[in-house]
Amino acid sequence: MSSKTIFNTILRSFQQIEQKPLRDDLLLYFGIVILVYCASFLMMLHEGDAGGFLFLLPFIIVIAGGLLTGAVLLLGTSLIEHFFLLFVDVRKSFEMTMKTAVYALVVAIPLAWAALLIPNIAFTALLIITFVILTFCGIRVFHSLSIDRAAFVSLATGAVLFFFSYRWLIGQG
């Protein structure tokens, strides 16, 4: 599969979901967040860090913390992205920016969790590249921007998020 085919497939997929309400996108996003944090909890349980058989309270704490972290991550990413969109003459609402962030993070969150489990610089690079590509495609479709403007916004957003998460992604050792 060539890179052009991959981009066209992603763009077509985004065009199909452009008209869906944001509520559906948020349900997908928080569903993925809950799944990732459930998997994290199961790993804690397996390693013996979750409190043995009395795991209901730790489970609730992990899920509540995961939902809060997911909400902050989504809002922060959307605000950073929208900030850069202001430089390139954004035409659509913040809702479309949030849609872009949702679909980039839906893939990035499980990859980030996997990057923590498998500390490898190549895996971390894949995470960042995937996030930037999905953000680029989302901006192209949801904001109807040119290639150069969408590239600027996606690269700038990815760079800022990488700057803020550098110690977490790279400095794991």
Side-chain angles (χ1 to χ4, degrees):
M1 210 181 222
S2 71
S3 60
K4 187 175 182 177
T5 306
I6 292 170
F7 273 110
N8 287 336
T9 303
I10 295 170
L11 289 172
R12 277 193 305 272
S13 298
F14 279 167
Q15 287 167 347
Q16 290 174 353
I17 58 177
E18 183 178 13
Q19 300 305 319
K20 285 177 41 180
L22 182 61
R23 178 182 47 85
D24 295 347
D25 304 325
L26 291 174
L27 286 173
L28 171 69
Y29 174 76
F30 284 110
I32 295 293
V33 168
I34 288 171
L35 285 174
V36 167
Y37 275 86
C38 281
S40 297
F41 180 77
L42 290 175
M43 289 195 63
M44 286 178 10
L45 192 62
H46 182 268
E47 294 173 2
D49 296 337
F53 288 107
L54 301 172
F55 66 89
L56 185 59
L57 183 59
F59 178 74
I60 292 170
I61 292 170
V62 166
I63 295 302
L67 289 172
L68 181 62
T69 302
V72 169
L73 181 64
L74 177 60
L75 183 60
T77 302
S78 299
L79 288 171
I80 291 167
E81 187 177 306
H82 206 71
F83 172 77
F84 288 114
L85 281 166
L86 294 174
F87 287 109
V88 295
D89 189 32
V90 66
R91 296 182 203 131
K92 298 205 177 170
S93 68
F94 184 72
E95 181 178 328
M96 289 300 172
T97 304
M98 192 168 270
K99 268 180 143 348
T100 302
V102 162
Y103 286 104
L105 290 173
V106 157
V107 175
I109 287 175
L111 282 176
W113 184 70
L116 284 175
L117 293 177
I118 308 166
N120 183 334
I121 194 72
F123 202 72
T124 303
L126 174 67
L127 164 66
I128 294 165
I129 291 167
T130 302
F131 175 82
V132 169
I133 289 171
L134 289 173
T135 301
F136 170 81
C137 292
I139 290 168
R140 285 274 294 143
V141 172
F142 299 142
H143 286 284
S144 305
L145 289 181
S146 64
I147 291 173
D148 57 338
R149 290 175 182 214
F152 166 74
V153 173
S154 62
L155 288 171
T157 303
V160 169
L161 291 176
F162 178 71
F163 175 78
F164 284 127
S165 62
Y166 174 79
R167 298 265 302 143
W168 180 73
L169 288 172
I170 305 281
Q172 298 167 359

